[in-house]
């Protein structure tokens, strides 16, 4: 399984070099009104993660943007999902109601749901104050095989965007990766919960891959803060 970038990170490049066969990349996160209506009727005011909240605090979002069907469900996927097209993803089972503050992080694959681990919510990267909105496990909902297929597609895409380097998935299973992440404290709200650096697990092949991702994200977060501070400074100067 090859590594990929997050859905959100790939969007600017596709805007610069659009593929007419995939649709308009500027609108890849937009959910058609007809599907929004179906989702609102189904989910009422219940966010997938936070439960019932005021309607104005929620929006409908894709789980896997149809534009990226070819990435989330490549030909190497299990037979029932292999080679799914964007048209296959354009339905209400691939959309959900979510708290507005969580949607940017969900689209950026900063967290996902491990269905096979009792719907455990795995946080891959820093989420700021939005992290507090997430429970440890996704609340139970009526079983829907299609919905779970798309939610699993989002999770596997998140794994590829955050952890998978080269052929590491040929060496370690998803369970191996997530178990070691949990043991090392990766994805916790506070970096102080990370295992000490003299923990021998950091020196394993998988541990080194996970630590590389931690460092990459810290650098990215620092760059974002620098850019934000620079913009505020320039605005004040004006």
């Amino acid at each position: 399984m090859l590594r990929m970038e997050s859905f959100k990170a790939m969007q600017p490049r596709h805007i610069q070099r659009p593929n007419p066969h995939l649709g308009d990349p500027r609108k890849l996160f937009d959910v058609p009104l007809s599907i929004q209506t179906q989702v609102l009727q189904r989910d009422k005011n219940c966010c997938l993660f936070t439960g019932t909240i005021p309607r104005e605090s929620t929006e409908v979002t894709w789980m896997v943007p149809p534009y990226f069907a070819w990435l989330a469900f490549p030909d190497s996927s299990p037979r029932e999902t292999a080679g799914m097209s964007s048209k296959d993803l354009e339905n209400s089972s691939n959309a959900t109601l979510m708290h507005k503050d969580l949607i940017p992080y969900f689209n950026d694959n900063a967290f996902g749901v491990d269905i096979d681990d009792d719907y455990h919510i795995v946080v891959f990267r820093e989420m700021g104050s939005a992290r507090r909105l997430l429970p440890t496990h996704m609340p139970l909902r009526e079983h829907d095989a299609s919905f779970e297929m798309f939610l699993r597609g989002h999770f596997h895409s998140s794994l590829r965007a955050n952890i998978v380097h080269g052929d590491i998935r040929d060496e370690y299973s998803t369970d191996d990766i997530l178990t070691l992440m949990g043991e090392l404290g990766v994805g916790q709200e506070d970096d102080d919960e990370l295992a000490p650096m003299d923990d021998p697990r950091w020196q394993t092949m998988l541990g080194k891959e996970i630590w590389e991702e931690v460092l990459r994200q810290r650098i990215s977060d620092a760059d974002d803060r620098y850019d934000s501070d620079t913009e505020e400074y320039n605005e004040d100067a004006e």
Side-chain angles (χ1 to χ4, degrees):
M1 181 183 292
L2 298 178
R3 180 168 180 172
M4 58 174 267
E5 294 180 280
S6 73
F7 298 138
K8 189 64 177 177
M10 288 188 287
Q11 184 183 26
R13 187 169 67 254
H14 283 264
I15 290 175
Q16 291 178 350
R17 301 181 64 181
N19 183 330
H21 300 292
L22 298 177
D24 187 347
R26 295 169 300 178
K27 301 178 180 179
L28 66 86
F29 293 114
D30 295 354
V31 181
L33 184 58
S34 59
I35 292 180
Q36 288 192 44
T37 300
Q38 295 175 49
V39 172
L40 289 172
Q41 291 175 344
R42 181 194 70 202
D43 295 351
K44 308 304 180 185
N45 293 334
C46 190
C47 164
L48 182 63
F49 301 109
T50 65
T52 302
I53 55 176
R55 174 67 186 87
E56 59 270 19
S57 298
T58 63
E59 288 182 359
V60 176
T61 188
W62 294 117
M63 285 186 286
V64 176
Y67 186 97
F68 289 127
W70 55 282
L71 270 175
F73 301 104
D75 291 338
S76 58
S77 297
R79 182 166 50 185
E80 63 272 17
T81 60
M84 292 183 73
S85 70
S86 59
K87 289 296 183 182
D88 295 323
L89 273 65
E90 292 174 357
N91 63 77
S92 60
S93 291
N94 184 35
T96 188
L97 195 68
M98 194 178 300
H99 195 294
K100 290 180 180 179
D101 291 348
L102 291 173
I103 291 176
Y105 296 101
F106 190 74
N107 289 340
D108 200 28
N109 299 98
F111 72 98
V113 179
D114 185 0
I115 293 177
D116 300 318
D117 185 20
D118 195 26
Y119 297 85
H120 177 225
I121 296 175
V122 180
V123 179
F124 296 103
R125 303 200 305 277
E126 173 61 38
M127 294 178 55
S129 59
R131 172 69 175 82
R132 300 186 181 92
L133 294 170
L134 291 175
T136 57
H137 294 74
M138 190 187 90
L140 294 177
R141 57 180 288 141
E142 185 176 346
H143 176 70
D144 181 337
S146 295
F147 182 90
E148 294 193 352
M149 174 182 67
F150 294 123
L151 188 59
R152 183 178 276 108
H154 176 274
F155 180 66
H156 287 170
S157 297
S158 299
L159 270 179
R160 292 168 63 193
N162 290 285
I163 298 298
V164 178
H165 296 259
D167 59 354
I168 192 171
R169 279 295 302 272
D170 294 335
E171 301 291 335
Y172 298 96
S173 68
T174 297
D175 286 343
D176 291 334
I177 295 171
L178 296 176
T179 296
L180 189 57
M181 283 177 61
E183 292 174 353
L184 293 174
V186 176
Q188 300 301 317
E189 189 170 352
D190 191 341
D191 272 355
D192 289 342
E193 296 184 41
L194 283 175
M197 293 313 301
D198 58 0
D199 189 311
R201 288 172 295 186
W202 287 119
Q203 302 307 314
T204 64
M205 176 182 171
L206 180 55
K208 290 177 180 178
E209 292 281 359
I210 293 173
W211 177 243
E212 180 183 336
E213 183 59 35
V214 170
L215 289 180
R216 187 183 70 82
Q217 188 55 41
R218 285 181 175 178
I219 292 171
S220 176
D221 291 342
D223 287 343
D224 290 343
R225 287 193 296 271
Y226 175 80
D227 291 341
S228 177
D229 291 344
T230 301
E231 289 178 4
E232 291 180 4
Y233 174 81
N234 291 336
E235 290 176 359
D236 291 341
E238 293 175 0

